[in-house]
Amino acid sequence: MKSNKIKWLLITLWVVFICTMVGVPVFFNMIGNNSFGLFGELPGLESLENPEEETASQLFSADNVLLGKYFRENRTPVTYDELSRELTETLLVTEDLRFSEHSGIDLRALVRAVVGKLTFSFAGGGSTITMQLAENLYKTEQENKGKLHNVPGLGQIITKFKEWIIAVQLEKNYTKEEILAMYLNTVPFGSNAFGIKAAAKTFFNKEPKQITYHEAALLVGLVNAPTRYSPILNPETSMRKRNEVLYNLRKYNRIDQIAYDSLRAKEFDLQYKVDGHNEGLATYFRTVIRNFLMDWTTQHGYDLFEDGLKIYTTIDSRMQTYAEDAVRQHMDTLQSVFIKHLEGRNPWINEDFTEVENFIETTMQRTSYYKSLVKEYGKDADSVDILLNLKRPMKVFSWDGEIDTLMSAYDSLKYYKHFLQAGFMAMDPHSGHIKAWVGGIDHKYFQFDHVMQGKRQPGSTIKPFVYSAVIDNGYSPCYEVADAPITFSFPGQDPPTWTPSNAVGNPTGQMMTIRSALAQSVNTITAYWMKKLGPQTVVDYAHRIGIQSDLAAVPALCLGAGGEVSVYEMVGAYSTFVNQGVWTEPIFITRIEDENGRVLQDFVPQTREALSEETAYTMLYMLRGATEEPHGSGGGLSREIKANNQVGAKTGTTQNASDGWFMGVTKDLVAGGWVGGDDRSIHFRNWAMGQGARTAMPIWNNFMLKVYADPDLGIEKGPFPKPVNGLSVELDCSKHDRTQGIDSLGVDIEKVSEDDIF
């Protein structure tokens, strides 16, 4: 009886052994071939040799600083050489101690895991780093499932067999170092960080090569449960996990007892900052050019958010920092002045300084939140009004930092409409390279860009285009014109005439040079030339010099009415004067590379000859009048900027002071800015406080002080280079016949009629 039992036991063991020896290889083969579609496809050889993973595209400055990324998953791959020894050792003692010894499957760990499950005593997992990499790369638990995956228990077994097969194949195709780096590149660490490079940056503001043991212990602890072990969401649990990982380092003699005790007592020492589109330098710039990049990638067959492109921009990170600082410092101060000036009144006002009725209610109806409520509940539903007035917790922007408060949608809109906005751009006038771009005061809370997207009336910054036509028609900067009223007639219209006044004071009747007239921004003399030249001539010159927006050929254009322009095109146009009369398209990208560094496209700006070299230089002399002539509008610039330097400038202010402008030109850099409310009805209650010299010029001044103080930028003071062939007109008015000028238009100003103008 006993012998029969032994006999049957031996037969059973042999059957199990034979079935195992035959069945397991057959099972492997069936999975590998996806027999009858039961198991799901495995990655092919090409996929194994070139595994796909989403990689963020990176945006670099001209001085090779990472400005930001475009991603769905914030991931930037690294090589094994870019990992610290402490990091790799910590990973191996925690996840795969015998990593260097196995070929993708660790049988000892596998048996240990099986026994642990059968005995309900967890003794460690059976998955190797290579098997985990297989799951991370090919999503074996989520994708390519066969018909048998829905069978309870069997699906998990098939998944493990798949991981074993893929792991062995990975080991054949890659070195151990490559597998280790690939694994760390594919792991999600939480906090929008995918891969070790993003994780090291997010939690410690370091590169992976700089990670130490106690930092590595925290990061490795995040590998299997990023939320549970998050030092931000669950600090106590995270600390226990970190110390558990540190114990592994001590257990396997990677560190000694003294080091272990010391590291275990350390705090996290986090420098936590989630990488996002509202963080870092040039946030407005990055957002605006994203549309350009999306168009480019679509046309060229790439995905901006996953193909790991490297985009090299013209932005200089140092100048960008100086520009952002200049905007922040001035706008913080100006906002305080603005609020004090309002004396508790709302800033949205009509031309007669009365408050605009129902401004907030009307503005609310243009918001996406209001439209979504109307779509859900109906336009006249009580629910819409209730929800718009419902107070709820929110964070709001302030110049002293974010404020936690309770506000309704109406409260929030009213609060934000009190803020003044700004746009500022600087560019190299010779290359067309944009060096700094600040589109607003805070991208997180105000995402509308005021450099390229926003367009406003330019005020008196339009005047240099008028005077370019004057100079081009043979007049000298020293030509004198009377500061006297000029009237335009509009028969049949109401009112039938228009007589522009000066911004400050009545016309004096005195003669002054046109250089002085531009320097002091005298409206009557600009109107004189508009009447003499005709509005269409001014429109044509503005477009030639670089303005791309539509402009109306009307007399009021000479003072900036009749068209809206952007900071982007104004800076480009003023650069024409510095670039010997050649307009150069402002550009923001120099080249795009693929993830392997292969150049996909180089970018070169468009150019065209807009003015003669002599006219361009003469206009620089005209613009210098703002800083050199008595009572020039740029006289308030710092002496430090003007000393041993030639600076051209022009201020601009619209009639109700809703727009303040300043344009400044030097031999190496042209920059300009705009300041105002998001709505034209939001402005100071008097022209003097809202003029460009007060609102916009300080930004340029502060920026240039920082630029000139940094010798590494190569932006130097000095004169504008004179034309190679010299000048045909004497620019020193003390030596010049102030009545000199050739009336090439053949029109007498006193006898001009509307028919001659239009």
Side-chain angles (χ1 to χ4, degrees):
M1 189 75 175
K2 185 175 181 181
S3 60
N4 287 335
K5 288 182 178 180
I6 293 173
K7 179 181 177 181
W8 282 109
L9 178 60
L10 290 173
I11 292 172
T12 302
L13 290 174
W14 273 107
V15 169
V16 171
F17 175 75
I18 293 171
C19 288
T20 301
M21 294 300 293
V22 175
V24 170
V26 170
F27 195 54
F28 265 113
N29 186 264
M30 292 177 70
I31 292 175
N33 294 303
N34 188 26
S35 298
F36 311 110
L38 298 174
F39 306 97
E41 294 291 341
L42 283 172
L45 181 61
E46 183 179 349
S47 180
L48 286 168
E49 292 176 346
N50 300 285
E52 294 184 3
E53 55 180 310
E54 288 194 9
T55 302
S57 291
Q58 300 177 85
L59 198 70
F60 292 96
S61 68
D63 52 327
N64 210 36
V65 171
L66 180 63
L67 295 176
K69 303 175 185 178
Y70 300 104
F71 54 81
R72 295 186 188 91
E73 294 183 352
N74 181 18
R75 187 198 319 275
T76 304
V78 296
T79 63
Y80 181 80
D81 292 337
E82 295 175 273
L83 305 172
S84 70
R85 177 181 59 83
E86 292 87 345
L87 177 60
T88 56
E89 285 186 353
T90 304
L91 176 65
L92 292 177
V93 299
T94 306
E95 292 294 317
D96 195 346
L97 187 63
R98 285 177 293 280
F99 175 71
S100 61
E101 302 169 14
H102 63 67
S103 297
I105 304 172
D106 185 351
L107 292 177
R108 191 192 308 179
L110 188 59
V111 170
R112 181 190 62 203
V114 172
V115 171
K117 282 198 172 185
L118 292 175
T119 59
F120 303 100
S121 58
F122 179 75
S127 290
T128 63
I129 282 177
T130 318
M131 291 169 61
Q132 293 178 53
L133 173 61
E135 158 59 17
N136 292 344
L137 284 175
Y138 303 107
K139 306 294 187 291
T140 51
E141 290 190 5
Q142 292 90 27
E143 299 177 4
N144 296 319
K145 293 182 178 181
K147 299 174 183 177
L148 293 178
H149 271 78
N150 294 326
V151 178
L154 186 56
Q156 189 174 4
I157 294 173
I158 293 172
T159 295
K160 285 301 175 186
F161 270 77
K162 280 186 173 184
E163 289 176 4
W164 294 343
I165 294 171
I166 297 171
V168 171
Q169 292 297 320
L170 288 172
E171 292 275 351
K172 289 180 180 180
N173 283 277
Y174 298 98
T175 66
K176 288 289 186 180
E177 289 77 11
E178 289 172 330
I179 290 172
L180 203 59
M182 289 169 67
Y183 172 76
L184 285 170
N185 286 333
T186 60
V187 173
F189 290 87
S191 297
N192 204 26
F194 294 81
I196 188 61
K197 187 176 179 72
K201 182 73 172 175
T202 298
F203 290 100
F204 298 108
N205 194 28
K206 287 186 174 183
E207 294 296 317
K209 191 74 173 177
Q210 302 170 309
I211 294 298
T212 61
Y213 275 127
H214 86 280
E215 295 164 342
L218 184 145
L219 294 175
V220 170
L222 288 169
V223 165
N224 292 318
T227 301
R228 185 192 312 164
Y229 297 126
S230 166
I232 305 303
L233 301 176
N234 300 297
E236 292 183 4
T237 307
S238 179
M239 181 66 76
R240 286 196 297 270
K241 183 63 177 179
R242 187 205 70 172
N243 290 344
E244 178 186 315
V245 176
L246 288 173
Y247 175 76
N248 289 335
L249 288 167
R250 173 69 191 98
K251 178 180 177 182
Y252 295 109
N253 297 317
R254 300 307 191 271
I255 59 175
D256 58 26
Q257 187 65 41
I258 295 175
Y260 169 67
D261 291 337
S262 174
L263 292 174
R264 192 172 181 276
K266 285 179 71 70
E267 298 295 329
F268 286 135
D269 296 335
L270 297 176
Q271 293 190 42
Y272 181 74
K273 189 175 183 181
V274 176
D275 201 356
H277 300 303
N278 293 318
E279 304 292 338
L281 281 175
T283 49
Y284 287 92
F285 171 76
R286 284 151 46 192
T287 299
V288 171
I289 72 166
R290 180 175 59 191
N291 293 331
F292 168 84
L293 291 170
M294 289 179 68
D295 288 341
W296 186 93
T297 51
T298 299
Q299 292 172 14
H300 292 79
Y302 292 94
D303 188 321
L304 177 64
F305 302 102
E306 66 176 49
D307 283 346
L309 301 178
K310 296 175 182 177
I311 302 116
Y312 292 88
T313 74
T314 61
I315 296 292
D316 185 288
S317 68
R318 298 157 296 184
M319 284 197 234
Q320 180 67 30
T321 299
Y322 300 151
E324 291 184 8
D325 288 346
V327 169
R328 186 181 305 109
Q329 291 164 7
H330 175 62
M331 294 305 293
D332 184 2
T333 301
L334 186 66
Q335 186 66 39
S336 298
V337 172
F338 185 54
I339 295 301
K340 184 177 180 180
H341 161 77
L342 292 175
E343 296 180 333
R345 295 168 294 194
N346 288 319
W348 40 89
I349 51 179
N350 295 302
E351 296 295 330
D352 60 358
F353 299 107
T354 59
E355 183 174 328
V356 178
E357 293 185 7
N358 302 317
F359 173 81
I360 292 297
E361 291 77 8
T362 303
T363 305
M364 179 63 76
Q365 292 174 10
R366 298 196 298 267
T367 65
S368 57
Y369 180 57
Y370 174 85
K371 291 174 182 177
S372 67
L373 292 179
V374 168
K375 184 177 180 181
E376 183 173 356
Y377 298 105
K379 185 175 182 180
D380 298 321
D382 292 340
S383 298
V384 173
D385 190 57
I386 291 171
L387 290 171
L388 289 174
N389 284 283
L390 179 66
K391 293 185 183 295
R392 47 196 174 89
M394 65 175 66
K395 290 181 182 291
V396 297
F397 168 82
S398 86
W399 282 110
D400 295 323
E402 289 183 329
I403 299 174
D404 287 303
T405 185
L406 283 173
M407 281 190 181
S408 69
Y410 278 126
D411 296 334
S412 174
L413 183 60
K414 183 177 181 180
Y415 174 79
Y416 281 125
K417 286 300 180 181
H418 280 72
F419 283 93
L420 294 174
Q421 297 294 328
F424 182 83
M425 187 182 112
M427 70 175 273
D428 180 332
H430 309 293
S431 66
H433 289 185
I434 297 170
K435 294 298 180 181
W437 179 310
V438 186
I441 60 175
D442 187 278
H443 187 264
K444 180 177 179 180
Y445 289 95
F446 307 95
Q447 297 195 352
F448 185 78
D449 171 70
H450 292 283
V451 169
M452 179 181 279
Q453 292 179 331
K455 293 186 178 184
R456 300 293 279 266
Q457 288 187 359
S460 291
T461 56
I462 200 79
K463 290 178 180 177
F465 309 137
V466 178
Y467 284 100
S468 293
V470 174
I471 298 299
D472 229 15
N473 277 283
Y475 289 89
S476 160
C478 304
Y479 187 85
E480 290 188 339
V481 176
D483 174 17
I486 298 294
T487 298
F488 295 87
S489 298
F490 306 101
Q493 296 186 25
D494 185 20
T497 62
W498 175 58
T499 304
S501 60
N502 289 328
V504 180
N506 296 318
T508 63
Q510 297 179 348
M511 301 294 291
M512 65 171 59
T513 66
I514 61 174
R515 183 182 194 241
S516 181
L518 178 61
Q520 298 181 51
S521 204
V522 179
N523 291 341
T524 55
I525 293 179
T526 309
Y528 169 94
W529 290 111
M530 175 60 95
K531 196 165 188 178
K532 193 172 183 69
L533 296 166
Q536 188 58 52
T537 299
V538 174
V539 170
D540 293 342
Y541 266 82
H543 285 156
R544 280 170 53 185
I545 294 169
I547 297 302
Q548 297 162 324
S549 298
D550 292 335
L551 300 173
V554 296
L557 181 63
C558 70
L559 305 186
E564 296 181 339
V565 298
S566 67
V567 172
Y568 170 85
E569 57 190 323
M570 285 294 281
V571 174
Y574 271 68
S575 293
T576 302
F577 301 130
V578 184
N579 197 32
Q580 293 82 47
V582 176
W583 173 78
T584 301
E585 175 192 19
I587 65 169
F588 38 70
I589 296 175
T590 55
R591 73 182 185 277
I592 298 177
E593 298 177 356
D594 66 13
E595 60 183 336
N596 298 315
R598 182 171 62 94
V599 177
L600 302 177
Q601 184 172 338
D602 289 309
F603 293 83
V604 179
Q606 298 179 28
T607 62
R608 67 166 177 268
E609 187 172 342
L611 301 170
S612 69
E613 189 175 357
E614 181 173 350
T615 296
Y617 183 80
T618 304
M619 279 307 303
L620 290 175
Y621 178 71
M622 292 279 287
L623 289 167
R624 283 166 47 198
T627 62
E628 297 171 359
E629 291 271 351
H631 311 297
S633 60
L637 292 174
S638 298
R639 291 182 181 179
E640 187 176 344
I641 291 176
K642 293 184 287 185
N644 304 313
N645 201 16
Q646 288 185 352
V647 179
K650 187 70 198 80
T651 57
T653 314
T654 50
Q655 186 173 9
N656 63 358
S658 61
D659 303 282
W661 291 80
F662 183 81
M663 306 299 300
V665 300
T666 65
K667 70 181 185 69
D668 293 332
L669 202 65
V670 174
W674 164 91
V675 172
D678 265 335
D679 296 80
R680 288 170 180 79
S681 62
I682 297 173
H683 51 80
F684 282 93
R685 302 180 70 85
N686 64 64
W687 187 92
M689 294 191 72
Q691 63 178 300
R694 288 178 180 268
T695 62
M697 187 169 73
I699 296 175
W700 190 93
N701 188 81
N702 294 343
F703 170 71
M704 290 304 297
L705 284 173
K706 295 173 187 291
V707 167
Y708 281 135
D710 188 343
D712 294 335
L713 293 176
I715 306 297
E716 299 177 345
K717 295 181 179 181
F720 295 105
K722 292 184 178 180
V724 175
N725 297 323
L727 294 167
S728 61
V729 177
E730 174 61 59
L731 297 185
D732 184 350
C733 294
S734 64
K735 302 177 182 179
H736 196 280
D737 179 359
R738 297 191 175 198
T739 63
Q740 178 181 333
I742 304 170
D743 192 349
S744 59
L745 299 175
V747 178
D748 185 343
I749 189 69
E750 270 68 37
K751 296 180 181 178
V752 73
S753 69
E754 289 299 312
D755 291 337
D756 294 317
I757 294 175
F758 297 103

